[in-house]
Amino acid sequence: MATGKANETAKLVINVEVGADSNGKAKYAQRSILALDPAISDDDARAIGTLYGGLQTYPVGTVVRQSTAALVED
């Protein structure tokens, strides 16, 4: 039997650089975009994250896509 996906969800996590610690290492905070369409391409997801990050006061460090799904038997 083949395996399929059910209840697939996705979100974007944008890590923004909010300063530095006492050793000069960058500190980050997260901004999330929930309920992202799981079918959206990675290129489009990155573009959305970058545009959203541009609205923030702090510079964007990384854009992370997190997807989850239940694996079911077809």
Side-chain angles (χ1 to χ4, degrees):
M1 293 244 137
T3 300
K5 293 180 182 179
N7 302 324
E8 190 171 6
T9 62
K11 72 177 181 176
L12 285 179
V13 178
I14 297 98
N15 295 302
V16 293
E17 191 175 333
V18 294
D21 63 16
S22 60
N23 295 324
K25 186 176 177 181
K27 292 182 358 181
Y28 293 91
Q30 293 184 342
R31 310 289 188 257
S32 297
I33 300 174
L34 306 176
L36 184 71
D37 182 353
I40 195 169
S41 73
D42 289 339
D43 288 334
D44 288 343
R46 183 170 182 258
I48 290 168
T50 301
L51 289 170
Y52 182 79
L55 299 173
Q56 304 298 306
T57 302
Y58 303 108
V60 174
T62 57
V63 176
V64 177
R65 177 184 186 147
Q66 294 180 342
S67 300
T68 60
L71 299 178
V72 295
E73 205 172 279
D74 281 341

